[in-house]
Each structure stands twice: as structure tokens, then as C-alpha cells.
């Protein structure tokens, strides 16, 4: 059929040309933007999946950035602690040197004290001056806050880590009290032959000789007088003497060996560690010292001597700590927390030993005192506290932060690959589509031109009919 009014072939050609032109434009858009999905109509389901993956990638990138910043913060704190450790080692040397009173002049001892004061000032300055982004790191502002701590039961509480952003109750239950090594003397006044004993404890040993007729009071005084040398003390109970180690725990002991004569109660006795549970889990103990390391709580504390009895006490952790969001999602499992206690002369040491500040000029443990044993014990405890904090920071950076960064980077790689497979242009395939669309447009254009010649056939028929 030949029609001059409706050119169906032309309409079909126009439709084919429009469709091929649309395909060509789509290929051009995908090749120019690099994206297979540029609008929701390109692939509705793919767009939804892609946007979800993009959101996840944004969270992962933020988690990596957060963990990296946390590592920078803690590395800054650890750098300050490194300097404090060096200063404490110098202070330890000064204490040992100052104990050599027979070889030092008063001026030299004063010079040592001046150095000690300068070291303590510098430690305090580092504590207040270790800053990241305007925030002080070692002045105690990033330590955990507690309430309800019974000082008559617990002493020297230090919380290393706890669940971030949560208030939690910690229940400390002593199921067995700690004990000292203990021996008893029941021999009364020394007999006619006298007696010589060797008294040994954790600090050392000494020989004590008692002449005939020496009373139990005098024997007790002699043992107490050698306490600094041996680590063994004594108390008088009626006509008997209670001889015990100055420290608690299985590693503390007292030994009495008889060199000559007779001494009732000679032998060896070891102490006993406390048995403690914290929130129902057995804690590691050494004498009165209690250590807990669990997934949600890490702390160490000492049972107060007056509270070294079977029973239960509790306290609350009400916030504080350095809390870091190191996961892609903001939830409790993505938070990690560590406590940074104050590292200054008033915070290092302990209630039982004394604090580092007591080594200053005029202090009870200054270098001018007769015995520097207590001063050295304080410095030694301070060294342990700083090194313990450095070790915990190092473990936190290595295992909490660096391992998290590695894991998040793997997640980001795989998630990005999945998002790319959905949304990005496959240039090899799209180039082939583009070439095909080009050919089809050219072919449709040629066919349309021919279809538009169809009505001319009707004109030729009219010319033949009317002789024109």
C-alpha cells in the first residue's frame, strides 16, 4: 500500500533513530562521567545498593581517620612518659649516690638535692605541658572518675581501661585475706648460755646475738631495729614475740636460723596472697596487690591494711578516660577507652609508700634524711607505674588501633570494589556499546532518509494518471 498521508515507514525509522540516539547519548554520558548509574532511572536497585555501600565506605574512612588520630594522641603522651622515665632513672641514681653519706660533703649532698628538686619540677612541667590539640594528656584530665571508693578497704586504685561512655559498678570481694610470713618466739628471757640467730627476710639478713638474761622486750627491740635491713618486724604479746615479714603475700617470708644456743620458734614461714574476685571473676593477686585484666575492665589496686579482711566493697566508674570512636558505626562496640593517670610528683608513688613529692627539699623523704630506703622505694614504684602506663599505651596502639586500622582498610578495599562493580562504567563494554550505537544511528538515519522518499511514489502515480 502506498499512502501520501501516513508514512508508516518513516515513523518506524524515526522511532528507531530516536531509540538508537538515546543509546548513543547514554553511552556518551557513561564514558564521560565514568559512572554506569548517573540517575535513579539508570538502575533503581543498583542505586540503592550503591548508596548503602557509599555510606558504609564513608563510615569506614572516618573510622580509619579516628584511629589514626587516636594513635597520634597516644604517641604524644607516650613521648612525654619516655622523658619522665629518663628523669626517674636519674633520680634513682641521685638517691643511691646520696645514701653514700660517708663519701659526700654537705655541699655535694645539697647539690644532689638541688638536682632532685629540678627533676621533680621538670616531671611536673612535662605532666602539665604534654598537649595535643590544646588538650593536656598527662595531668590526670584523661583519668577515670570514680565514686564511692572506701579508702579504708581499697588503696592505690588505678583504672587502666573501662567500657567507654558507661557508668559501671565494680564489686571487689575478698574471699581470703592476705597474710605475712609469721613465726612466734615463746622462749621468754634468754637462758644462761645466750643465743645467736640469723634473721632473714625479703630485704636481707643479719645476725643477732642475745646474752643471758636478755628480756623479750629487748629481743623485740633488736628485731625491730634491724627491720630496714631484713624486712622483718616484731611485736610483743605478753611474754611472747610475734615475728613477721613486713610485706604480705606468698613471696614474703621470714627465716630464723639458730647459730648457737636455743631459740624457740626458729624456722621459715611464708605469707599468703589475698584471694579476690572483681565483678565475679578471679583476680590476679600478689599479697595485697590486685590486678584485673578483662575485656571490659583493667585495673590494679591494693587492699588497705585495715581492710585486709574477708568481705565485699564496691565503687562506681562514672566516666572519664580517653574514649576513641574507631569503628565505622557509632555504637558501644566501636568505642575503645584507656585511662591516663596524672604523671606528676603528687601522683606518682602511693598512699602506702608516700609520693614522689616527698623527696623535695624539706620533705619527709628528701635526700638529707638519715635513711633513703623509703625514698628509693617511692622512686622504684614510680618507675614501675610509668613503665606500666607506657606498656599499656603501646599495647593499645598496637592491638586496638593499628590492628583496627588494618582491618578497616581491608573492609574499605572490599566495599569499594563492590560499590565500583555496581556503579562504575565498564569502559571496555561501554566503548563497544558506543560503537554499536554510532553505527545504528547512522543506519537509522540512512533508512529514514529512504523512508521519507516513499510519498514520492504516490506523486509519480498521479503524474502517470493525468499524463503529466
Amino acid at each position: 500500500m502506498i499512502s501520501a498521508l501516513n508514512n508508516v515507514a518513516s515513523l518506524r525509522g524515526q522511532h528507531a533513530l530516536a531509540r538508537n540516539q538515546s543509546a548513543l547519548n547514554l553511552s556518551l554520558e557513561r564514558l564521560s562521567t565514568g559512572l554506569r548509574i548517573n540517575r535513579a532511572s539508570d538502575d533503581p536497585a543498583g542505586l540503592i545498593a550503591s548508596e548503602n555501600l557509599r555510606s558504609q565506605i564513608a563510615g569506614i574512612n572516618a573510622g580509619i581517620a579516628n584511629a589514626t588520630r587516636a594513635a597520634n594522641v597516644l604517641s604524644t603522651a607516650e613521648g612525654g612518659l619516655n622523658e619522665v622515665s629518663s628523669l626517674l632513672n636519674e633520680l634513682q641514681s641521685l638517691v643511691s649516690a646520696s645514701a653514700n653519706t660517708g663519701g659526700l660533703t654537705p655541699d655535694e649532698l645539697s647539690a644532689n638535692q638541688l638536682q632532685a628538686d629540678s627533676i621533680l619540677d621538670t616531671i611536673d612541667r612535662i605532666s602539665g605541658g604534654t598537649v595535643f590539640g590544646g588538650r593536656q594528656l598527662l595531668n590526670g584530665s584523661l583519668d577515670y572518675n570514680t565514686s564511692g571508693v572506701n579508702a579504708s578497704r581499697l588503696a592505690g586504685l588505678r583504672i587502666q581501661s573501662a567500657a567507654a561512655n558507661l557508668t559501671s559498678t565494680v564489686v571487689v570481694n575478698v574471699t581470703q585475706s592476705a597474710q605475712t610470713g609469721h613465726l612466734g618466739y615463746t622462749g621468754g628471757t634468754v637462758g644462761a648460755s645466750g643465743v645467736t640467730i640469723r634473721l632473714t627476710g625479703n630485704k636481707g639478713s643479719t645476725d643477732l646475738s642475745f646474752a643471758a638474761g636478755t628480756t623479750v622486750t629487748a629481743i623485740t627491740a633488736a628485731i625491730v631495729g634491724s627491720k630496714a635491713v631484713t624486712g622483718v618486724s616484731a611485736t610483743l604479746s605478753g611474754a611472747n614475740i610475734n615475728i613477721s615479714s613486713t610485706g604480705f603475700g606468698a613471696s614474703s617470708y621470714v627465716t630464723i636460723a639458730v647459730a648457737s644456743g636455743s631459740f624457740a620458734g626458729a624456722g621459715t614461714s611464708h605469707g599468703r596472697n589475698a584471694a579476690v574476685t572483681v565483678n565475679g571473676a578471679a583476680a590476679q593477686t600478689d599479697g595485697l596487690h590486685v590486678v584485673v585484666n578483662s575485656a571490659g575492665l583493667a585495673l590494679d589496686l591494693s587492699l588497705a591494711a585495715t581492710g585486709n579482711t574477708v568481705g565485699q566493697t564496691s565503687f562506681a566508674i562514672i566516666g572519664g578516660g580517653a574514649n576513641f570512636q574507631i569503628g565505622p558505626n557509632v555504637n558501644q562496640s566501636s568505642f575503645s577507652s584507656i585511662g591516663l593517670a596524672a604523671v606528676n610528683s603528687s601522683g606518682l608513688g602511693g598512699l602506702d609508700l608516700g609520693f614522689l613529692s616527698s623527696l623535695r627539699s624539706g620533705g619527709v623523704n628528701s635526700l638529707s634524711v638519715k635513711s633513703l630506703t623509703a625514698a628509693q622505694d617511692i622512686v622504684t614504684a614510680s618507675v614501675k607505674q610509668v613503665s606500666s602506663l607506657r606498656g599499656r599505651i603501646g599495647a593499645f596502639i598496637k592491638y586496638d588501633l593499628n590492628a583496627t586500622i588494618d582491618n578497616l582498610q581491608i573492609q574499605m578495599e572490599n566495599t569499594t570494589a563492590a560499590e565500583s562493580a555496581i556503579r562504575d562504567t565498564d569502559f571496555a563494554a561501554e566503548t563497544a556499546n558506543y560503537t554499536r550505537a554510532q553505527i545504528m544511528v547512522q543506519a537509522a538515519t540512512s533508512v529514514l532518509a529512504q523512508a521519507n522518499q516513499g510519498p514520492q511514489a504516490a506523486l509519480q502515480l498521479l503524474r502517470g494518471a493525468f499524463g503529466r
Side-chain angles (χ1 to χ4, degrees):
M1 176 181 178
I2 298 174
S3 173
L5 298 178
N6 295 295
N7 191 345
V8 177
S10 177
L11 292 175
R12 288 172 179 167
Q14 293 175 43
H15 182 209
L17 178 60
R19 186 170 61 249
N20 291 330
Q21 187 65 52
S22 176
L24 180 62
N25 291 338
L26 180 61
S27 291
L28 282 171
E29 182 182 42
R30 288 175 174 176
L31 290 171
S32 61
T33 62
L35 297 174
R36 186 181 70 85
I37 303 174
N38 290 282
R39 60 185 62 82
S41 59
D42 292 339
D43 184 351
L47 178 73
I48 293 172
S50 174
E51 288 299 322
N52 288 335
L53 289 172
R54 282 188 171 186
S55 176
Q56 187 176 344
I57 290 170
I60 292 172
N61 282 327
I64 293 173
N66 288 347
T68 301
R69 185 175 180 87
N72 293 336
V73 171
L74 293 178
S75 294
T76 302
E78 201 273 331
L81 291 172
N82 182 44
E83 293 303 316
V84 172
S85 293
S86 298
L87 291 169
L88 288 174
N89 289 334
E90 291 187 31
L91 186 59
Q92 185 79 281
S93 177
L94 283 173
V95 171
S96 297
S98 298
N100 186 31
T101 55
L104 295 177
T105 65
D107 288 342
E108 289 173 319
L109 188 59
S110 296
N112 285 352
Q113 182 63 61
L114 182 63
Q115 289 184 66
D117 291 343
S118 179
I119 287 173
L120 295 178
D121 289 341
T122 303
I123 290 175
D124 288 343
R125 187 161 50 251
I126 291 173
S127 176
T130 303
V131 178
F132 187 95
R135 186 169 193 178
Q136 294 177 313
L137 304 180
L138 300 177
N139 68 340
S141 62
L142 294 179
D143 199 1
Y144 291 101
N145 303 318
T146 59
S147 67
V149 178
N150 187 345
S152 65
R153 295 279 292 173
L154 306 177
L157 173 63
R158 288 178 177 266
I159 304 171
Q160 282 87 33
S161 67
N165 302 323
L166 292 178
T167 298
S168 57
T169 299
V170 180
V171 179
V172 180
N173 186 27
V174 181
T175 58
Q176 174 181 277
S177 62
Q179 292 183 357
T180 61
H182 177 80
L183 293 174
Y185 172 72
T186 58
T189 301
V190 176
S193 61
V195 64
T196 298
I197 63 171
R198 168 155 288 188
L199 184 64
T200 305
N202 289 80
K203 292 185 178 180
S205 62
T206 188
D207 291 335
L208 298 176
S209 297
F210 303 109
T214 303
T215 64
V216 290
T217 301
I219 295 173
T220 302
I223 295 174
V224 173
S226 63
K227 179 172 65 174
V229 175
T230 62
V232 177
S233 190
T235 57
L236 189 59
S237 177
N240 302 322
I241 305 174
N242 297 317
I243 305 170
S244 60
S245 59
T246 55
F248 288 81
S251 61
S252 297
Y253 70 98
V254 55
T255 296
I256 298 176
V258 179
S260 63
S262 176
F263 193 85
T268 298
S269 175
H270 287 266
R272 183 179 72 184
N273 295 329
V276 179
T277 63
V278 177
N279 289 345
Q284 179 183 348
T285 59
D286 181 10
L288 298 173
H289 190 221
V290 180
V291 176
V292 175
N293 283 300
S294 63
L297 179 67
L299 59 80
D300 63 73
L301 58 85
S302 295
L303 301 176
T306 56
N308 179 33
T309 56
V310 173
Q312 180 175 294
T313 185
S314 63
F315 62 91
I317 301 173
I318 57 175
N323 303 313
F324 301 105
Q325 160 68 34
I326 58 175
N329 303 311
V330 181
N331 53 43
Q332 194 58 39
S333 63
S334 293
F335 280 100
S336 198
S337 180
I338 185 172
L340 301 180
V343 184
N344 52 40
S345 61
S346 299
L348 293 173
L351 291 172
D352 51 344
L353 297 173
F355 292 97
L356 204 60
S357 56
S358 66
L359 273 69
R360 292 185 182 275
S361 296
V364 294
N365 292 305
S366 66
L367 302 188
S368 60
V369 300
K370 185 175 181 180
S371 174
L372 292 177
T373 302
Q376 188 169 60
D377 288 343
I378 292 171
V379 176
T380 300
S382 300
V383 170
K384 290 180 179 179
Q385 289 166 3
V386 172
S387 61
S388 176
L389 182 55
R390 289 184 66 190
R392 183 161 291 277
I393 289 175
F396 190 90
I397 292 174
K398 182 175 182 179
Y399 299 111
D400 284 55
L401 300 181
N402 290 348
T404 296
I405 291 172
D406 290 341
N407 180 54
L408 289 177
Q409 286 176 335
I410 293 172
Q411 287 186 44
M412 185 183 67
E413 292 169 9
N414 293 328
T415 307
T416 301
E419 196 273 339
S420 176
I422 295 172
R423 197 156 192 164
D424 290 355
T425 297
D426 182 344
F427 275 81
E430 202 57 51
T431 301
N433 291 338
Y434 173 74
T435 302
R436 176 181 178 277
Q438 270 189 319
I439 294 172
M440 294 303 295
V441 166
Q442 293 172 7
T445 302
S446 177
V447 170
L448 179 60
Q450 294 179 27
N452 287 336
Q453 298 298 317
Q456 297 296 326
L459 182 59
Q460 293 296 327
L461 290 173
L462 289 173
R463 286 176 178 171
F466 294 101
R468 292 182 182 179

